[in-house]
């Protein structure tokens, strides 16, 4: 199995995004850590990022719910060979 670092080296992405994906560093790394905490329902950790970046929790919840619905639609379309 290939390492993420090797895969990302072949893709044209900003260094900030690569650092976030590999090391969870910088603002994008914090965003990724926030999303992971949110998905795991680790509200204490998520609240740290909400306070640090003044994140609107309601907006995040609404957008996350919408993303889950769209993902479900895509999976169903794929399973029914409609893509």
């Amino acid at each position: 199995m290939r390492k993420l670092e090797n895969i990302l080296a072949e893709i044209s992405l900003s260094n900030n995004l690569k650092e976030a994906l590999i090391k969870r560093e910088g603002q994008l790394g914090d965003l990724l850590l926030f999303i992971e905490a949110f998905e795991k329902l680790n509200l204490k950790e998520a609240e740290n990022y909400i306070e640090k970046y003044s994140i609107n929790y309601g907006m995040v919840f609404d957008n996350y719910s919408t993303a889950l619905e769209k993902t479900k639609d895509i999976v169903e379309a794929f399973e029914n060979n409609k893509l």
Side-chain angles (χ1 to χ4, degrees):
M1 178 177 253
R2 295 176 61 194
K3 289 186 173 188
L4 180 60
E5 294 89 349
N6 296 334
I7 295 169
L8 293 178
E10 299 174 11
I11 300 173
S12 178
L13 295 174
S14 72
N15 286 335
N16 291 342
L17 186 52
K18 288 180 183 181
E19 291 296 311
L21 292 170
I22 296 168
K23 299 178 184 177
R24 304 296 196 262
E25 292 181 350
Q27 277 189 316
L28 292 176
D30 280 353
L31 176 61
L32 188 53
L33 289 168
F34 167 68
I35 292 167
E36 291 171 344
F38 183 85
E39 287 182 330
K40 293 175 185 175
L41 300 176
N42 184 343
L43 300 182
K44 184 176 180 180
E45 184 176 343
E47 284 177 10
N48 291 331
Y49 296 106
I50 288 170
E51 290 176 16
K52 182 176 181 179
Y53 292 104
S54 301
I55 296 170
N56 180 322
Y57 183 81
M59 182 190 70
V60 171
F61 183 80
D62 290 344
N63 286 318
Y64 185 76
S65 297
T66 299
L68 290 177
E69 290 173 18
K70 291 183 183 284
T71 300
K72 181 181 172 222
D73 293 343
I74 291 169
V75 169
E76 286 176 0
F78 182 77
E79 290 174 345
N80 295 320
N81 296 315
K82 293 184 180 179
L83 286 180

